[in-house]
Amino acid sequence: MAFVIAAPCIDHLDQACVEVCPVDCISHDPAADRKAYIDPEGCIECGACEPACPQGAIMLDRQLPPVWAAFAEIDRGWWIDPEWARDAVDAQAA
């Protein structure tokens, strides 16, 4: 995984990152999710999403500050078990 969407995205679901992603690997369920998620298998590491995010929520996984380190696993987890990821986001936001 290269890029991760971290805490600043929670409750700020701007679609700019989705619009610039050339491989459509950023997604969320508008009815259930508080943030967007990057598909670790689909991301081509182009970096187009990072400057597009007005919240500064997207960064390389190796550049995540320790306080946001869990978001790398949360993004991976959403593609396997969205409910687990939603619970993890709620816990991070608390």
Side-chain angles (χ1 to χ4, degrees), residues 2-71:
F3 286 92
V4 173
I5 301 177
C9 184
I10 297 173
D11 298 329
H12 297 280
L13 284 166
D14 183 90
Q15 297 295 304
C17 61
V18 175
E19 293 169 11
V20 300
C21 180
V23 292
D24 296 323
C25 72
I26 302 172
S27 190
H28 71 285
D29 177 347
D33 290 313
R34 297 177 66 187
K35 71 177 271 316
Y37 303 87
I38 296 177
D39 179 357
E41 300 295 320
C43 180
I44 60 171
E45 302 179 30
C46 71
C49 58
E50 186 177 20
C53 178
Q55 302 300 323
I58 302 174
M59 59 202 72
L60 290 168
D61 59 354
R62 59 188 170 272
Q63 294 179 335
L64 284 167
V67 69
W68 294 341
F71 284 93

Short mmCIF file of all heavy atoms in Angstrom, two decimals, residues 2-71:
data_model
loop_
_atom_site.label_atom_id
_atom_site.label_comp_id
_atom_site.label_asym_id
_atom_site.label_seq_id
_atom_site.Cartn_x
_atom_site.Cartn_y
_atom_site.Cartn_z
N ALA A 2 0.56 2.18 -0.82
CA ALA A 2 1.35 3.40 -0.87
C ALA A 2 0.60 4.58 -0.26
O ALA A 2 1.11 5.22 0.65
CB ALA A 2 1.72 3.72 -2.31
N PHE A 3 -0.61 4.86 -0.71
CA PHE A 3 -1.34 6.01 -0.20
C PHE A 3 -2.46 5.56 0.73
O PHE A 3 -3.07 4.52 0.54
CB PHE A 3 -1.90 6.85 -1.36
CG PHE A 3 -0.83 7.64 -2.05
CD1 PHE A 3 -0.17 7.12 -3.15
CD2 PHE A 3 -0.45 8.87 -1.57
CE1 PHE A 3 0.84 7.83 -3.77
CE2 PHE A 3 0.56 9.60 -2.18
CZ PHE A 3 1.20 9.07 -3.28
N VAL A 4 -2.70 6.39 1.74
CA VAL A 4 -3.69 6.12 2.78
C VAL A 4 -4.50 7.39 2.99
O VAL A 4 -3.97 8.49 2.90
CB VAL A 4 -2.97 5.73 4.10
CG1 VAL A 4 -3.95 5.59 5.24
CG2 VAL A 4 -2.18 4.45 3.91
N ILE A 5 -5.77 7.21 3.32
CA ILE A 5 -6.62 8.35 3.67
C ILE A 5 -6.79 8.31 5.19
O ILE A 5 -7.34 7.36 5.74
CB ILE A 5 -7.97 8.29 2.95
CG1 ILE A 5 -7.75 8.30 1.43
CG2 ILE A 5 -8.84 9.47 3.38
CD1 ILE A 5 -9.01 8.16 0.61
N ALA A 6 -6.31 9.34 5.84
CA ALA A 6 -6.25 9.37 7.31
C ALA A 6 -7.37 10.22 7.93
O ALA A 6 -8.33 10.61 7.26
CB ALA A 6 -4.87 9.87 7.76
N ALA A 7 -7.22 10.49 9.19
CA ALA A 7 -8.24 11.13 10.03
C ALA A 7 -8.84 12.43 9.47
O ALA A 7 -10.04 12.65 9.66
CB ALA A 7 -7.68 11.38 11.43
N PRO A 8 -8.08 13.29 8.82
CA PRO A 8 -8.71 14.54 8.35
C PRO A 8 -9.89 14.34 7.40
O PRO A 8 -10.69 15.25 7.20
CB PRO A 8 -7.57 15.28 7.66
CG PRO A 8 -6.34 14.79 8.34
CD PRO A 8 -6.62 13.33 8.62
N CYS A 9 -10.01 13.15 6.82
CA CYS A 9 -11.13 12.88 5.91
C CYS A 9 -12.42 12.57 6.67
O CYS A 9 -13.51 12.72 6.11
CB CYS A 9 -10.78 11.70 4.99
SG CYS A 9 -12.03 11.32 3.74
N ILE A 10 -12.32 12.17 7.91
CA ILE A 10 -13.51 11.78 8.67
C ILE A 10 -14.50 12.95 8.71
O ILE A 10 -14.17 14.05 9.13
CB ILE A 10 -13.15 11.31 10.09
CG1 ILE A 10 -12.27 10.06 10.02
CG2 ILE A 10 -14.43 11.03 10.90
CD1 ILE A 10 -11.73 9.62 11.37
N ASP A 11 -15.69 12.67 8.24
CA ASP A 11 -16.80 13.63 8.17
C ASP A 11 -16.53 14.80 7.22
O ASP A 11 -17.20 15.83 7.30
CB ASP A 11 -17.18 14.13 9.57
CG ASP A 11 -17.67 13.01 10.46
OD1 ASP A 11 -18.26 12.04 9.94
OD2 ASP A 11 -17.45 13.09 11.68
N HIS A 12 -15.55 14.65 6.32
CA HIS A 12 -15.25 15.65 5.29
C HIS A 12 -15.07 14.93 3.96
O HIS A 12 -13.99 14.91 3.40
CB HIS A 12 -13.96 16.42 5.62
CG HIS A 12 -14.06 17.21 6.86
ND1 HIS A 12 -14.68 18.43 6.94
CD2 HIS A 12 -13.62 16.93 8.12
CE1 HIS A 12 -14.62 18.88 8.18
NE2 HIS A 12 -13.98 17.99 8.91
N LEU A 13 -16.10 14.30 3.49
CA LEU A 13 -16.01 13.46 2.29
C LEU A 13 -16.04 14.29 1.00
O LEU A 13 -16.96 14.20 0.20
CB LEU A 13 -17.12 12.43 2.29
CG LEU A 13 -16.90 11.25 3.23
CD1 LEU A 13 -18.18 10.46 3.42
CD2 LEU A 13 -15.79 10.36 2.72
N ASP A 14 -15.01 15.07 0.79
CA ASP A 14 -14.85 15.80 -0.46
C ASP A 14 -14.56 14.77 -1.55
O ASP A 14 -13.89 13.77 -1.31
CB ASP A 14 -13.68 16.77 -0.33
CG ASP A 14 -13.50 17.60 -1.57
OD1 ASP A 14 -14.11 18.67 -1.65
OD2 ASP A 14 -12.76 17.16 -2.47
N GLN A 15 -15.03 14.98 -2.73
CA GLN A 15 -14.87 14.01 -3.82
C GLN A 15 -13.71 14.33 -4.77
O GLN A 15 -13.52 13.64 -5.77
CB GLN A 15 -16.16 13.93 -4.63
CG GLN A 15 -17.35 13.44 -3.83
CD GLN A 15 -17.16 12.01 -3.38
OE1 GLN A 15 -16.95 11.10 -4.18
NE2 GLN A 15 -17.21 11.78 -2.08
N ALA A 16 -12.90 15.33 -4.47
CA ALA A 16 -11.81 15.72 -5.37
C ALA A 16 -10.84 14.58 -5.62
O ALA A 16 -10.40 14.37 -6.75
CB ALA A 16 -11.06 16.93 -4.81
N CYS A 17 -10.53 13.81 -4.60
CA CYS A 17 -9.60 12.69 -4.78
C CYS A 17 -10.19 11.62 -5.70
O CYS A 17 -9.48 11.05 -6.53
CB CYS A 17 -9.20 12.08 -3.43
SG CYS A 17 -10.58 11.40 -2.48
N VAL A 18 -11.46 11.38 -5.55
CA VAL A 18 -12.14 10.38 -6.39
C VAL A 18 -12.11 10.83 -7.85
O VAL A 18 -11.85 10.03 -8.76
CB VAL A 18 -13.60 10.17 -5.92
CG1 VAL A 18 -14.34 9.24 -6.86
CG2 VAL A 18 -13.63 9.65 -4.49
N GLU A 19 -12.34 12.11 -8.06
CA GLU A 19 -12.40 12.65 -9.43
C GLU A 19 -11.07 12.58 -10.16
O GLU A 19 -11.04 12.40 -11.37
CB GLU A 19 -12.91 14.09 -9.38
CG GLU A 19 -14.36 14.18 -8.94
CD GLU A 19 -14.80 15.60 -8.63
OE1 GLU A 19 -14.07 16.56 -8.95
OE2 GLU A 19 -15.89 15.74 -8.05
N VAL A 20 -9.95 12.69 -9.43
CA VAL A 20 -8.64 12.70 -10.11
C VAL A 20 -7.98 11.33 -10.19
O VAL A 20 -7.01 11.16 -10.91
CB VAL A 20 -7.65 13.69 -9.45
CG1 VAL A 20 -8.20 15.11 -9.51
CG2 VAL A 20 -7.30 13.29 -8.04
N CYS A 21 -8.51 10.35 -9.49
CA CYS A 21 -7.88 9.02 -9.50
C CYS A 21 -8.06 8.37 -10.87
O CYS A 21 -9.18 8.10 -11.29
CB CYS A 21 -8.49 8.13 -8.42
SG CYS A 21 -7.75 6.47 -8.39
N PRO A 22 -6.95 8.09 -11.57
CA PRO A 22 -7.07 7.54 -12.92
C PRO A 22 -7.48 6.07 -12.97
O PRO A 22 -7.85 5.58 -14.03
CB PRO A 22 -5.66 7.70 -13.50
CG PRO A 22 -4.76 7.65 -12.31
CD PRO A 22 -5.55 8.32 -11.20
N VAL A 23 -7.46 5.38 -11.83
CA VAL A 23 -7.83 3.96 -11.81
C VAL A 23 -9.04 3.68 -10.92
O VAL A 23 -9.35 2.53 -10.64
CB VAL A 23 -6.63 3.07 -11.40
CG1 VAL A 23 -5.55 3.10 -12.48
CG2 VAL A 23 -6.07 3.46 -10.06
N ASP A 24 -9.72 4.71 -10.49
CA ASP A 24 -10.93 4.58 -9.68
C ASP A 24 -10.75 3.66 -8.47
O ASP A 24 -11.57 2.78 -8.23
CB ASP A 24 -12.10 4.07 -10.55
CG ASP A 24 -12.47 5.05 -11.64
OD1 ASP A 24 -12.42 6.27 -11.39
OD2 ASP A 24 -12.79 4.61 -12.75
N CYS A 25 -9.67 3.88 -7.73
CA CYS A 25 -9.43 3.00 -6.56
C CYS A 25 -9.78 3.67 -5.24
O CYS A 25 -9.45 3.14 -4.18
CB CYS A 25 -7.99 2.50 -6.56
SG CYS A 25 -6.78 3.75 -6.16
N ILE A 26 -10.45 4.81 -5.27
CA ILE A 26 -10.88 5.48 -4.05
C ILE A 26 -12.41 5.39 -3.99
O ILE A 26 -13.09 5.75 -4.94
CB ILE A 26 -10.43 6.95 -4.01
CG1 ILE A 26 -8.91 7.03 -4.13
CG2 ILE A 26 -10.92 7.62 -2.72
CD1 ILE A 26 -8.36 8.43 -4.29
N SER A 27 -12.90 4.92 -2.86
CA SER A 27 -14.34 4.69 -2.77
C SER A 27 -14.83 4.85 -1.34
O SER A 27 -14.04 4.91 -0.40
CB SER A 27 -14.66 3.28 -3.28
OG SER A 27 -16.05 3.13 -3.41
N HIS A 28 -16.13 4.89 -1.21
CA HIS A 28 -16.82 4.86 0.08
C HIS A 28 -18.30 4.66 -0.20
O HIS A 28 -18.76 4.86 -1.32
CB HIS A 28 -16.58 6.14 0.87
CG HIS A 28 -17.28 7.34 0.30
ND1 HIS A 28 -16.84 7.99 -0.82
CD2 HIS A 28 -18.39 7.98 0.71
CE1 HIS A 28 -17.66 9.00 -1.09
NE2 HIS A 28 -18.61 9.01 -0.17
N ASP A 29 -19.01 4.25 0.81
CA ASP A 29 -20.46 4.11 0.72
C ASP A 29 -21.05 5.36 1.37
O ASP A 29 -20.95 5.53 2.59
CB ASP A 29 -20.92 2.85 1.46
CG ASP A 29 -22.42 2.68 1.48
OD1 ASP A 29 -23.16 3.64 1.14
OD2 ASP A 29 -22.88 1.58 1.84
N PRO A 30 -21.62 6.27 0.59
CA PRO A 30 -22.12 7.53 1.15
C PRO A 30 -23.16 7.34 2.26
O PRO A 30 -23.30 8.21 3.11
CB PRO A 30 -22.74 8.26 -0.04
CG PRO A 30 -22.31 7.53 -1.25
CD PRO A 30 -21.86 6.17 -0.84
N ALA A 31 -23.85 6.22 2.25
CA ALA A 31 -24.87 5.98 3.27
C ALA A 31 -24.29 5.44 4.57
O ALA A 31 -24.98 5.45 5.60
CB ALA A 31 -25.91 5.00 2.74
N ALA A 32 -23.04 4.99 4.56
CA ALA A 32 -22.51 4.33 5.75
C ALA A 32 -21.13 4.80 6.20
O ALA A 32 -20.80 4.63 7.37
CB ALA A 32 -22.44 2.82 5.49
N ASP A 33 -20.34 5.36 5.30
CA ASP A 33 -18.95 5.67 5.64
C ASP A 33 -18.74 7.12 6.02
O ASP A 33 -19.35 8.02 5.45
CB ASP A 33 -18.04 5.32 4.48
CG ASP A 33 -17.93 3.82 4.28
OD1 ASP A 33 -17.73 3.11 5.27
OD2 ASP A 33 -18.07 3.38 3.12
N ARG A 34 -17.83 7.32 6.95
CA ARG A 34 -17.46 8.66 7.40
C ARG A 34 -16.20 9.17 6.71
O ARG A 34 -15.81 10.32 6.90
CB ARG A 34 -17.23 8.66 8.91
CG ARG A 34 -18.48 8.32 9.69
CD ARG A 34 -18.21 8.25 11.16
NE ARG A 34 -17.84 9.56 11.68
CZ ARG A 34 -17.42 9.77 12.92
NH1 ARG A 34 -17.31 8.77 13.77
NH2 ARG A 34 -17.09 10.98 13.32
N LYS A 35 -15.54 8.31 5.93
CA LYS A 35 -14.34 8.68 5.19
C LYS A 35 -14.25 7.83 3.93
O LYS A 35 -14.98 6.87 3.78
CB LYS A 35 -13.06 8.51 6.04
CG LYS A 35 -12.69 7.06 6.31
CD LYS A 35 -11.40 6.90 7.09
CE LYS A 35 -10.12 6.82 6.33
NZ LYS A 35 -9.94 6.05 5.17
N ALA A 36 -13.35 8.19 3.05
CA ALA A 36 -13.10 7.41 1.84
C ALA A 36 -11.93 6.46 2.10
O ALA A 36 -11.18 6.63 3.07
CB ALA A 36 -12.79 8.35 0.67
N TYR A 37 -11.78 5.49 1.22
CA TYR A 37 -10.76 4.45 1.37
C TYR A 37 -10.06 4.23 0.04
O TYR A 37 -10.69 4.25 -1.01
CB TYR A 37 -11.41 3.14 1.81
CG TYR A 37 -12.18 3.28 3.10
CD1 TYR A 37 -13.51 3.68 3.10
CD2 TYR A 37 -11.57 3.03 4.32
CE1 TYR A 37 -14.22 3.83 4.29
CE2 TYR A 37 -12.27 3.17 5.52
CZ TYR A 37 -13.59 3.57 5.49
OH TYR A 37 -14.28 3.72 6.66
N ILE A 38 -8.75 3.96 0.09
CA ILE A 38 -7.97 3.67 -1.10
C ILE A 38 -7.76 2.17 -1.17
O ILE A 38 -7.28 1.55 -0.22
CB ILE A 38 -6.62 4.41 -1.09
CG1 ILE A 38 -6.86 5.92 -1.13
CG2 ILE A 38 -5.75 3.96 -2.27
CD1 ILE A 38 -5.59 6.75 -1.06
N ASP A 39 -8.09 1.60 -2.32
CA ASP A 39 -7.89 0.17 -2.56
C ASP A 39 -6.40 -0.12 -2.70
O ASP A 39 -5.77 0.35 -3.67
CB ASP A 39 -8.63 -0.25 -3.83
CG ASP A 39 -8.47 -1.70 -4.18
OD1 ASP A 39 -7.74 -2.44 -3.48
OD2 ASP A 39 -9.10 -2.12 -5.17
N PRO A 40 -5.81 -0.86 -1.78
CA PRO A 40 -4.37 -1.11 -1.85
C PRO A 40 -3.96 -1.95 -3.06
O PRO A 40 -2.82 -1.86 -3.52
CB PRO A 40 -4.06 -1.84 -0.55
CG PRO A 40 -5.34 -2.47 -0.15
CD PRO A 40 -6.42 -1.54 -0.65
N GLU A 41 -4.88 -2.73 -3.59
CA GLU A 41 -4.59 -3.55 -4.77
C GLU A 41 -4.72 -2.75 -6.06
O GLU A 41 -4.07 -3.03 -7.05
CB GLU A 41 -5.52 -4.77 -4.82
CG GLU A 41 -5.40 -5.68 -3.62
CD GLU A 41 -4.04 -6.34 -3.51
OE1 GLU A 41 -3.48 -6.74 -4.55
OE2 GLU A 41 -3.53 -6.43 -2.39
N GLY A 42 -5.58 -1.75 -6.06
CA GLY A 42 -5.83 -0.99 -7.28
C GLY A 42 -4.98 0.25 -7.42
O GLY A 42 -4.78 0.75 -8.54
N CYS A 43 -4.44 0.76 -6.33
CA CYS A 43 -3.65 1.99 -6.36
C CYS A 43 -2.38 1.78 -7.17
O CYS A 43 -1.63 0.83 -6.96
CB CYS A 43 -3.30 2.43 -4.94
SG CYS A 43 -2.32 3.95 -4.86
N ILE A 44 -2.14 2.68 -8.12
CA ILE A 44 -0.93 2.60 -8.94
C ILE A 44 0.14 3.58 -8.44
O ILE A 44 1.15 3.79 -9.11
CB ILE A 44 -1.25 2.84 -10.43
CG1 ILE A 44 -1.87 4.21 -10.64
CG2 ILE A 44 -2.13 1.71 -10.96
CD1 ILE A 44 -2.01 4.62 -12.11
N GLU A 45 -0.10 4.18 -7.31
CA GLU A 45 0.85 5.08 -6.66
C GLU A 45 1.20 6.29 -7.51
O GLU A 45 2.33 6.79 -7.48
CB GLU A 45 2.11 4.32 -6.25
CG GLU A 45 1.82 3.16 -5.32
CD GLU A 45 3.05 2.38 -4.94
OE1 GLU A 45 4.15 2.97 -4.87
OE2 GLU A 45 2.91 1.17 -4.69
N CYS A 46 0.24 6.79 -8.28
CA CYS A 46 0.50 7.95 -9.14
C CYS A 46 0.58 9.25 -8.35
O CYS A 46 1.21 10.21 -8.79
CB CYS A 46 -0.57 8.06 -10.23
SG CYS A 46 -2.20 8.57 -9.63
N GLY A 47 -0.08 9.30 -7.20
CA GLY A 47 -0.03 10.49 -6.36
C GLY A 47 -1.00 11.59 -6.72
O GLY A 47 -1.00 12.64 -6.09
N ALA A 48 -1.85 11.39 -7.70
CA ALA A 48 -2.79 12.43 -8.12
C ALA A 48 -3.75 12.83 -7.00
O ALA A 48 -4.17 13.98 -6.90
CB ALA A 48 -3.57 11.98 -9.35
N CYS A 49 -4.09 11.89 -6.15
CA CYS A 49 -5.06 12.14 -5.10
C CYS A 49 -4.52 13.03 -3.98
O CYS A 49 -5.26 13.82 -3.39
CB CYS A 49 -5.55 10.82 -4.49
SG CYS A 49 -4.22 9.79 -3.81
N GLU A 50 -3.24 12.92 -3.69
CA GLU A 50 -2.67 13.63 -2.54
C GLU A 50 -2.86 15.14 -2.62
O GLU A 50 -3.42 15.74 -1.69
CB GLU A 50 -1.19 13.26 -2.40
CG GLU A 50 -0.57 13.83 -1.15
CD GLU A 50 0.87 13.40 -1.00
OE1 GLU A 50 1.51 13.00 -1.98
OE2 GLU A 50 1.36 13.49 0.14
N PRO A 51 -2.45 15.81 -3.70
CA PRO A 51 -2.64 17.26 -3.74
C PRO A 51 -4.10 17.68 -3.96
O PRO A 51 -4.47 18.82 -3.68
CB PRO A 51 -1.76 17.72 -4.90
CG PRO A 51 -1.64 16.53 -5.77
CD PRO A 51 -1.70 15.34 -4.85
N ALA A 52 -4.93 16.76 -4.42
CA ALA A 52 -6.34 17.08 -4.68
C ALA A 52 -7.16 17.16 -3.40
O ALA A 52 -8.21 17.80 -3.38
CB ALA A 52 -6.95 16.04 -5.61
N CYS A 53 -6.69 16.54 -2.33
CA CYS A 53 -7.46 16.50 -1.08
C CYS A 53 -7.37 17.83 -0.34
O CYS A 53 -6.31 18.23 0.13
CB CYS A 53 -6.93 15.38 -0.18
SG CYS A 53 -7.81 15.30 1.40
N PRO A 54 -8.50 18.53 -0.19
CA PRO A 54 -8.48 19.82 0.50
C PRO A 54 -8.25 19.69 2.01
O PRO A 54 -7.92 20.67 2.67
CB PRO A 54 -9.85 20.42 0.19
CG PRO A 54 -10.72 19.24 -0.06
CD PRO A 54 -9.84 18.20 -0.68
N GLN A 55 -8.41 18.50 2.54
CA GLN A 55 -8.23 18.28 3.98
C GLN A 55 -6.80 17.85 4.33
O GLN A 55 -6.46 17.75 5.50
CB GLN A 55 -9.20 17.20 4.48
CG GLN A 55 -10.65 17.50 4.23
CD GLN A 55 -11.10 18.79 4.91
OE1 GLN A 55 -10.67 19.12 6.00
NE2 GLN A 55 -11.95 19.54 4.24
N GLY A 56 -6.00 17.52 3.33
CA GLY A 56 -4.65 17.02 3.60
C GLY A 56 -4.67 15.64 4.24
O GLY A 56 -3.78 15.28 5.00
N ALA A 57 -5.68 14.87 3.91
CA ALA A 57 -5.89 13.56 4.54
C ALA A 57 -5.14 12.43 3.85
O ALA A 57 -5.02 11.35 4.42
CB ALA A 57 -7.38 13.22 4.57
N ILE A 58 -4.63 12.65 2.65
CA ILE A 58 -4.01 11.57 1.89
C ILE A 58 -2.50 11.72 1.94
O ILE A 58 -1.96 12.80 1.66
CB ILE A 58 -4.50 11.56 0.43
CG1 ILE A 58 -6.03 11.41 0.40
CG2 ILE A 58 -3.83 10.45 -0.36
CD1 ILE A 58 -6.64 11.54 -0.98
N MET A 59 -1.85 10.62 2.31
CA MET A 59 -0.38 10.64 2.37
C MET A 59 0.15 9.24 2.16
O MET A 59 -0.59 8.26 2.24
CB MET A 59 0.10 11.23 3.68
CG MET A 59 -0.39 10.50 4.92
SD MET A 59 -0.35 11.52 6.40
CE MET A 59 -1.69 12.64 6.10
N LEU A 60 1.43 9.18 1.89
CA LEU A 60 2.09 7.88 1.76
C LEU A 60 2.04 7.15 3.09
O LEU A 60 2.18 7.78 4.15
CB LEU A 60 3.55 8.06 1.33
CG LEU A 60 3.76 8.53 -0.09
CD1 LEU A 60 5.21 8.96 -0.30
CD2 LEU A 60 3.38 7.43 -1.07
N ASP A 61 1.85 5.85 3.05
CA ASP A 61 1.74 5.08 4.28
C ASP A 61 2.98 5.26 5.17
O ASP A 61 2.87 5.36 6.37
CB ASP A 61 1.46 3.61 4.01
CG ASP A 61 2.49 2.91 3.17
OD1 ASP A 61 3.43 3.56 2.65
OD2 ASP A 61 2.37 1.68 3.01
N ARG A 62 4.14 5.36 4.57
CA ARG A 62 5.37 5.50 5.36
C ARG A 62 5.55 6.91 5.92
O ARG A 62 6.47 7.15 6.68
CB ARG A 62 6.58 5.06 4.55
CG ARG A 62 6.80 5.82 3.28
CD ARG A 62 7.91 5.18 2.43
NE ARG A 62 7.97 5.76 1.12
CZ ARG A 62 7.28 5.37 0.07
NH1 ARG A 62 6.43 4.37 0.17
NH2 ARG A 62 7.42 5.96 -1.10
N GLN A 63 4.68 7.84 5.54
CA GLN A 63 4.75 9.20 6.05
C GLN A 63 3.62 9.51 7.05
O GLN A 63 3.52 10.64 7.52
CB GLN A 63 4.73 10.20 4.90
CG GLN A 63 5.96 10.13 4.05
CD GLN A 63 5.94 11.12 2.90
OE1 GLN A 63 4.88 11.55 2.45
NE2 GLN A 63 7.11 11.48 2.42
N LEU A 64 2.81 8.52 7.35
CA LEU A 64 1.74 8.74 8.32
C LEU A 64 2.35 9.08 9.68
O LEU A 64 3.25 8.38 10.14
CB LEU A 64 0.88 7.49 8.48
CG LEU A 64 -0.11 7.17 7.38
CD1 LEU A 64 -0.63 5.75 7.54
CD2 LEU A 64 -1.26 8.15 7.40
N PRO A 65 1.85 10.12 10.33
CA PRO A 65 2.31 10.37 11.70
C PRO A 65 1.87 9.21 12.60
O PRO A 65 0.84 8.56 12.31
CB PRO A 65 1.60 11.66 12.09
CG PRO A 65 0.83 12.11 10.93
CD PRO A 65 0.90 11.09 9.86
N PRO A 66 2.59 8.91 13.64
CA PRO A 66 2.23 7.78 14.50
C PRO A 66 0.77 7.80 14.97
O PRO A 66 0.14 6.75 15.06
CB PRO A 66 3.20 7.90 15.68
CG PRO A 66 4.39 8.59 15.10
CD PRO A 66 3.84 9.56 14.07
N VAL A 67 0.23 8.95 15.22
CA VAL A 67 -1.15 9.05 15.69
C VAL A 67 -2.15 8.56 14.64
O VAL A 67 -3.26 8.15 14.97
CB VAL A 67 -1.47 10.48 16.17
CG1 VAL A 67 -1.52 11.46 15.00
CG2 VAL A 67 -2.76 10.53 16.96
N TRP A 68 -1.76 8.56 13.37
CA TRP A 68 -2.64 8.10 12.29
C TRP A 68 -2.20 6.78 11.68
O TRP A 68 -2.73 6.34 10.66
CB TRP A 68 -2.72 9.14 11.18
CG TRP A 68 -3.38 10.42 11.57
CD1 TRP A 68 -4.22 10.63 12.63
CD2 TRP A 68 -3.27 11.67 10.90
NE1 TRP A 68 -4.64 11.94 12.65
CE2 TRP A 68 -4.07 12.60 11.60
CE3 TRP A 68 -2.58 12.09 9.78
CZ2 TRP A 68 -4.18 13.93 11.21
CZ3 TRP A 68 -2.70 13.42 9.39
CH2 TRP A 68 -3.50 14.32 10.10
N ALA A 69 -1.24 6.11 12.26
CA ALA A 69 -0.71 4.86 11.70
C ALA A 69 -1.79 3.81 11.47
O ALA A 69 -1.71 3.03 10.52
CB ALA A 69 0.39 4.31 12.61
N ALA A 70 -2.80 3.77 12.31
CA ALA A 70 -3.86 2.77 12.18
C ALA A 70 -4.64 2.90 10.87
O ALA A 70 -5.26 1.93 10.41
CB ALA A 70 -4.83 2.88 13.35
N PHE A 71 -4.60 4.05 10.24
CA PHE A 71 -5.38 4.24 9.02
C PHE A 71 -4.86 3.41 7.85
O PHE A 71 -5.61 3.12 6.92
CB PHE A 71 -5.48 5.73 8.66
CG PHE A 71 -6.47 6.43 9.55
CD1 PHE A 71 -6.06 7.06 10.71
CD2 PHE A 71 -7.82 6.41 9.25
CE1 PHE A 71 -6.96 7.68 11.55
CE2 PHE A 71 -8.75 7.03 10.08
CZ PHE A 71 -8.31 7.66 11.24
#
